Short mmCIF file of all heavy atoms in Angstrom, two decimals:
data_model
loop_
_atom_site.label_atom_id
_atom_site.label_comp_id
_atom_site.label_asym_id
_atom_site.label_seq_id
_atom_site.Cartn_x
_atom_site.Cartn_y
_atom_site.Cartn_z
N ILE H 173 -10.81 -1.82 -17.74
CA ILE H 173 -12.20 -1.95 -18.15
C ILE H 173 -12.44 -2.09 -19.75
O ILE H 173 -13.54 -2.18 -20.14
CB ILE H 173 -13.11 -0.72 -17.61
CG1 ILE H 173 -12.48 0.55 -18.20
CG2 ILE H 173 -13.11 -0.58 -16.26
CD1 ILE H 173 -13.34 1.73 -17.85
N ALA H 177 -15.54 0.07 -23.27
CA ALA H 177 -16.10 0.79 -22.22
C ALA H 177 -15.49 2.28 -22.18
O ALA H 177 -16.31 3.19 -22.12
CB ALA H 177 -15.60 0.25 -20.87
N GLY H 180 -17.20 4.21 -24.90
CA GLY H 180 -18.52 4.52 -24.47
C GLY H 180 -18.66 5.69 -23.57
O GLY H 180 -19.52 6.54 -23.72
N ILE H 181 -17.78 5.74 -22.62
CA ILE H 181 -17.65 6.86 -21.64
C ILE H 181 -17.28 8.12 -22.46
O ILE H 181 -17.85 9.22 -22.18
CB ILE H 181 -16.61 6.57 -20.65
CG1 ILE H 181 -17.09 5.41 -19.62
CG2 ILE H 181 -16.33 7.79 -19.71
CD1 ILE H 181 -16.10 4.91 -18.71
N GLN H 184 -20.24 9.69 -24.19
CA GLN H 184 -21.14 10.36 -23.26
C GLN H 184 -20.57 11.70 -22.59
O GLN H 184 -21.24 12.52 -22.39
CB GLN H 184 -21.51 9.34 -22.16
CG GLN H 184 -22.37 8.18 -22.73
CD GLN H 184 -22.69 7.20 -21.50
OE1 GLN H 184 -23.48 7.35 -20.70
NE2 GLN H 184 -22.07 5.99 -21.83
N PHE H 193 -17.84 12.30 -12.63
CA PHE H 193 -18.84 11.52 -13.06
C PHE H 193 -18.85 10.27 -12.37
O PHE H 193 -17.82 9.68 -11.95
CB PHE H 193 -18.93 11.46 -14.54
CG PHE H 193 -17.68 10.90 -15.21
CD1 PHE H 193 -17.45 9.54 -15.35
CD2 PHE H 193 -16.64 11.75 -15.45
CE1 PHE H 193 -16.26 9.01 -15.96
CE2 PHE H 193 -15.53 11.31 -16.07
CZ PHE H 193 -15.39 9.99 -16.29
N LEU H 194 -20.07 9.56 -12.48
CA LEU H 194 -20.09 8.09 -12.00
C LEU H 194 -20.18 7.27 -13.30
O LEU H 194 -20.68 7.63 -14.39
CB LEU H 194 -21.36 7.80 -11.17
CG LEU H 194 -21.60 8.90 -9.97
CD1 LEU H 194 -22.93 8.57 -9.47
CD2 LEU H 194 -20.46 8.59 -8.99
N ALA H 195 -19.59 6.05 -13.22
CA ALA H 195 -19.72 5.03 -14.31
C ALA H 195 -19.86 3.76 -13.93
O ALA H 195 -19.52 3.30 -12.81
CB ALA H 195 -18.37 5.16 -15.17
N ARG H 196 -20.81 3.08 -14.54
CA ARG H 196 -21.00 1.68 -14.31
C ARG H 196 -21.34 0.85 -15.66
O ARG H 196 -21.82 1.54 -16.61
CB ARG H 196 -22.29 1.48 -13.38
CG ARG H 196 -23.52 1.96 -14.06
CD ARG H 196 -24.77 1.74 -13.18
NE ARG H 196 -26.02 1.98 -14.07
CZ ARG H 196 -27.15 2.32 -13.59
NH1 ARG H 196 -27.35 2.25 -12.25
NH2 ARG H 196 -28.24 2.48 -14.39
N PRO H 197 -21.19 -0.36 -15.56
CA PRO H 197 -21.52 -1.17 -16.77
C PRO H 197 -23.00 -1.01 -17.01
O PRO H 197 -23.80 -1.09 -16.08
CB PRO H 197 -21.13 -2.62 -16.50
CG PRO H 197 -20.28 -2.44 -15.21
CD PRO H 197 -20.67 -1.31 -14.52
N ARG H 198 -23.41 -0.95 -18.27
CA ARG H 198 -24.80 -0.79 -18.55
C ARG H 198 -25.42 -2.26 -18.23
O ARG H 198 -25.02 -3.18 -18.73
CB ARG H 198 -24.98 -0.49 -20.09
CG ARG H 198 -26.40 0.12 -20.40
CD ARG H 198 -26.39 0.30 -21.95
NE ARG H 198 -25.54 1.38 -22.41
CZ ARG H 198 -25.85 2.70 -22.26
NH1 ARG H 198 -26.99 3.03 -21.89
NH2 ARG H 198 -25.01 3.55 -22.73
N SER H 199 -26.48 -2.10 -17.48
CA SER H 199 -27.19 -3.46 -17.22
C SER H 199 -28.00 -3.76 -18.49
O SER H 199 -28.82 -2.97 -18.86
CB SER H 199 -28.08 -3.17 -15.99
OG SER H 199 -28.96 -2.18 -16.32
N SER H 200 -27.75 -4.90 -18.85
CA SER H 200 -28.46 -5.45 -20.11
C SER H 200 -28.66 -6.89 -20.06
O SER H 200 -27.96 -7.64 -19.26
CB SER H 200 -27.75 -5.04 -21.35
OG SER H 200 -26.51 -5.71 -21.28
N ASP H 205 -23.55 -6.87 -24.67
CA ASP H 205 -23.48 -5.58 -24.39
C ASP H 205 -22.84 -5.22 -23.16
O ASP H 205 -22.81 -4.03 -22.76
CB ASP H 205 -25.01 -5.04 -24.46
CG ASP H 205 -25.00 -3.54 -24.95
OD1 ASP H 205 -24.04 -3.17 -25.71
OD2 ASP H 205 -26.01 -2.94 -24.63
N SER H 206 -22.19 -6.18 -22.51
CA SER H 206 -21.79 -6.02 -21.15
C SER H 206 -20.58 -4.96 -20.99
O SER H 206 -20.34 -4.57 -19.94
CB SER H 206 -21.43 -7.35 -20.54
OG SER H 206 -20.37 -7.86 -21.29
N HIS H 207 -19.97 -4.81 -22.16
CA HIS H 207 -18.77 -3.99 -22.10
C HIS H 207 -19.17 -2.44 -22.08
O HIS H 207 -18.38 -1.56 -21.90
CB HIS H 207 -17.67 -4.23 -23.20
CG HIS H 207 -17.03 -5.35 -23.01
ND1 HIS H 207 -16.13 -5.50 -21.85
CD2 HIS H 207 -16.84 -6.52 -23.64
CE1 HIS H 207 -15.56 -6.70 -21.80
NE2 HIS H 207 -15.97 -7.34 -22.92
N ASN H 208 -20.39 -2.17 -22.49
CA ASN H 208 -20.76 -0.80 -22.59
C ASN H 208 -21.06 -0.15 -21.24
O ASN H 208 -21.70 -0.72 -20.34
CB ASN H 208 -22.04 -0.66 -23.36
CG ASN H 208 -21.90 0.45 -24.31
OD1 ASN H 208 -21.18 1.31 -24.20
ND2 ASN H 208 -22.68 0.49 -25.48
N TYR H 209 -20.44 1.01 -21.07
CA TYR H 209 -20.64 1.78 -19.80
C TYR H 209 -21.65 2.92 -19.91
O TYR H 209 -21.81 3.51 -21.02
CB TYR H 209 -19.35 2.19 -19.26
CG TYR H 209 -18.58 1.25 -18.45
CD1 TYR H 209 -18.19 -0.05 -19.05
CD2 TYR H 209 -18.17 1.50 -17.15
CE1 TYR H 209 -17.57 -0.94 -18.29
CE2 TYR H 209 -17.59 0.48 -16.45
CZ TYR H 209 -17.17 -0.78 -16.97
OH TYR H 209 -16.61 -1.60 -16.22
N GLU H 210 -22.13 3.31 -18.84
CA GLU H 210 -22.98 4.53 -18.81
C GLU H 210 -22.42 5.42 -17.73
O GLU H 210 -21.95 4.94 -16.70
CB GLU H 210 -24.48 4.30 -18.78
CG GLU H 210 -24.92 3.43 -17.50
CD GLU H 210 -26.44 3.08 -17.59
OE1 GLU H 210 -27.11 3.76 -18.29
OE2 GLU H 210 -26.78 2.05 -17.08
N ILE H 211 -22.65 6.64 -17.83
CA ILE H 211 -22.18 7.68 -16.88
C ILE H 211 -23.33 8.56 -16.35
O ILE H 211 -24.44 8.56 -17.00
CB ILE H 211 -21.04 8.57 -17.42
CG1 ILE H 211 -21.60 9.51 -18.42
CG2 ILE H 211 -19.87 7.78 -17.84
CD1 ILE H 211 -20.62 10.60 -18.68
N ALA H 212 -23.16 8.96 -15.07
CA ALA H 212 -24.21 9.94 -14.47
C ALA H 212 -23.49 10.91 -13.55
O ALA H 212 -22.34 10.75 -13.16
CB ALA H 212 -25.13 9.01 -13.71
N SER H 216 -26.33 11.99 -8.40
CA SER H 216 -27.24 10.87 -8.38
C SER H 216 -26.47 9.54 -7.86
O SER H 216 -26.85 8.47 -8.24
CB SER H 216 -27.75 10.54 -9.81
OG SER H 216 -26.70 10.29 -10.65
N LEU H 217 -25.56 9.79 -6.93
CA LEU H 217 -24.72 8.82 -6.39
C LEU H 217 -25.58 7.57 -5.91
O LEU H 217 -25.30 6.40 -6.21
CB LEU H 217 -23.81 9.34 -5.27
CG LEU H 217 -22.72 8.47 -4.76
CD1 LEU H 217 -21.79 8.16 -5.78
CD2 LEU H 217 -22.07 9.26 -3.62
N ASP H 218 -26.49 7.93 -5.11
CA ASP H 218 -27.19 6.68 -4.34
C ASP H 218 -28.00 5.93 -5.25
O ASP H 218 -28.01 4.66 -5.41
CB ASP H 218 -28.10 7.29 -3.29
CG ASP H 218 -27.23 7.95 -2.14
OD1 ASP H 218 -26.29 7.15 -1.77
OD2 ASP H 218 -27.57 9.05 -1.81
N SER H 219 -28.75 6.57 -6.22
CA SER H 219 -29.67 5.93 -7.04
C SER H 219 -28.93 5.13 -8.13
O SER H 219 -29.21 4.06 -8.54
CB SER H 219 -30.74 6.87 -7.63
OG SER H 219 -30.00 7.89 -8.27
N PHE H 220 -27.91 5.82 -8.65
CA PHE H 220 -27.15 5.25 -9.80
C PHE H 220 -26.52 3.97 -9.30
O PHE H 220 -26.48 3.06 -10.28
CB PHE H 220 -26.15 6.24 -10.28
CG PHE H 220 -25.52 5.94 -11.66
CD1 PHE H 220 -26.27 5.91 -12.86
CD2 PHE H 220 -24.13 5.58 -11.67
CE1 PHE H 220 -25.62 5.58 -14.01
CE2 PHE H 220 -23.67 5.25 -12.90
CZ PHE H 220 -24.26 5.30 -14.06
N PHE H 221 -25.89 3.81 -8.27
CA PHE H 221 -25.15 2.69 -7.86
C PHE H 221 -26.08 1.64 -7.05
O PHE H 221 -25.55 0.77 -6.51
CB PHE H 221 -23.87 3.19 -7.01
CG PHE H 221 -22.76 3.58 -7.88
CD1 PHE H 221 -21.82 4.34 -7.27
CD2 PHE H 221 -22.66 3.23 -9.14
CE1 PHE H 221 -20.81 4.84 -8.08
CE2 PHE H 221 -21.61 3.65 -10.05
CZ PHE H 221 -20.69 4.47 -9.40
N ALA H 222 -27.39 2.01 -7.01
CA ALA H 222 -28.22 1.20 -6.06
C ALA H 222 -28.14 -0.30 -6.45
O ALA H 222 -28.09 -1.15 -5.54
CB ALA H 222 -29.61 1.71 -6.21
N ASN H 223 -28.10 -0.64 -7.67
CA ASN H 223 -28.15 -2.01 -8.10
C ASN H 223 -26.85 -2.54 -8.75
O ASN H 223 -26.83 -3.48 -9.47
CB ASN H 223 -29.20 -2.25 -9.16
CG ASN H 223 -30.67 -2.05 -8.39
OD1 ASN H 223 -30.88 -2.38 -7.32
ND2 ASN H 223 -31.49 -1.34 -9.19
N THR H 224 -25.83 -1.76 -8.45
CA THR H 224 -24.54 -2.18 -9.08
C THR H 224 -23.62 -2.73 -8.14
O THR H 224 -23.53 -2.26 -6.94
CB THR H 224 -23.79 -0.79 -9.67
OG1 THR H 224 -24.69 -0.07 -10.38
CG2 THR H 224 -22.64 -1.17 -10.46
N PRO H 225 -22.98 -3.86 -8.32
CA PRO H 225 -22.16 -4.45 -7.31
C PRO H 225 -20.92 -3.50 -7.12
O PRO H 225 -20.55 -2.72 -7.97
CB PRO H 225 -21.64 -5.77 -8.08
CG PRO H 225 -22.46 -5.93 -9.25
CD PRO H 225 -23.15 -4.64 -9.58
N ALA H 226 -20.49 -3.61 -5.89
CA ALA H 226 -19.39 -2.63 -5.49
C ALA H 226 -18.18 -2.64 -6.32
O ALA H 226 -17.56 -1.55 -6.65
CB ALA H 226 -18.91 -2.87 -4.08
N GLU H 227 -17.80 -3.86 -6.91
CA GLU H 227 -16.64 -3.84 -7.74
C GLU H 227 -16.85 -3.25 -9.12
O GLU H 227 -15.89 -3.20 -10.00
CB GLU H 227 -16.08 -5.24 -7.74
CG GLU H 227 -16.97 -6.28 -8.53
CD GLU H 227 -18.02 -6.88 -7.56
OE1 GLU H 227 -18.20 -6.47 -6.50
OE2 GLU H 227 -18.63 -7.94 -8.00
N GLN H 228 -18.01 -2.86 -9.42
CA GLN H 228 -18.30 -2.29 -10.78
C GLN H 228 -18.64 -0.74 -10.61
O GLN H 228 -18.86 -0.15 -11.59
CB GLN H 228 -19.48 -3.03 -11.45
CG GLN H 228 -19.12 -4.32 -11.91
CD GLN H 228 -20.16 -5.15 -12.67
OE1 GLN H 228 -21.36 -4.62 -12.59
NE2 GLN H 228 -19.83 -6.15 -13.35
N GLN H 229 -18.60 -0.28 -9.41
CA GLN H 229 -18.83 1.30 -9.27
C GLN H 229 -17.52 1.91 -9.48
O GLN H 229 -16.53 1.69 -8.79
CB GLN H 229 -19.40 1.46 -7.84
CG GLN H 229 -20.73 0.61 -7.51
CD GLN H 229 -21.08 0.92 -6.20
OE1 GLN H 229 -20.40 1.66 -5.29
NE2 GLN H 229 -22.33 0.44 -5.78
N ILE H 230 -17.70 2.90 -10.45
CA ILE H 230 -16.52 3.69 -10.77
C ILE H 230 -16.73 5.13 -10.67
O ILE H 230 -17.77 5.67 -11.09
CB ILE H 230 -16.04 3.35 -12.24
CG1 ILE H 230 -15.48 1.84 -12.24
CG2 ILE H 230 -14.90 4.26 -12.71
CD1 ILE H 230 -15.24 1.42 -13.67
N ILE H 231 -15.81 5.80 -10.02
CA ILE H 231 -15.95 7.25 -9.84
C ILE H 231 -14.82 7.87 -10.83
O ILE H 231 -13.60 7.46 -10.82
CB ILE H 231 -15.51 7.78 -8.39
CG1 ILE H 231 -16.31 6.99 -7.42
CG2 ILE H 231 -15.64 9.19 -8.37
CD1 ILE H 231 -17.79 7.50 -7.22
N GLY H 232 -15.33 8.66 -11.74
CA GLY H 232 -14.41 9.20 -12.71
C GLY H 232 -14.23 10.72 -12.59
O GLY H 232 -15.06 11.45 -11.96
N ARG H 265 -13.11 3.06 -6.35
CA ARG H 265 -12.49 2.68 -7.73
C ARG H 265 -12.45 4.06 -8.65
O ARG H 265 -13.50 4.44 -9.00
CB ARG H 265 -13.22 1.62 -8.40
CG ARG H 265 -13.49 0.41 -7.42
CD ARG H 265 -14.54 -0.49 -7.79
NE ARG H 265 -14.22 -1.28 -8.97
CZ ARG H 265 -13.48 -2.25 -8.99
NH1 ARG H 265 -12.99 -2.71 -7.75
NH2 ARG H 265 -13.18 -2.92 -10.05
N LEU H 267 -11.48 6.41 -11.83
CA LEU H 267 -10.94 6.51 -13.25
C LEU H 267 -10.44 7.98 -13.49
O LEU H 267 -11.20 8.94 -13.33
CB LEU H 267 -12.16 6.23 -14.22
CG LEU H 267 -11.94 6.26 -15.64
CD1 LEU H 267 -10.97 5.47 -16.18
CD2 LEU H 267 -13.32 6.20 -16.37
#
Side-chain angles (χ1 to χ4, degrees):
Chain H
I173 59 173
I181 294 173
Q184 292 174 70
F193 55 90
L194 310 169
R196 68 172 184 202
R198 199 184 290 279
S199 57
S200 60
D205 210 22
S206 63
H207 281 304
N208 223 338
Y209 272 62
E210 56 188 335
I211 66 169
S216 60
L217 190 61
D218 294 309
S219 55
F220 188 70
F221 282 157
N223 298 317
T224 311
E227 65 273 12
Q228 290 183 342
Q229 301 178 354
I230 292 174
I231 309 281
R265 310 160 70 77
L267 174 64

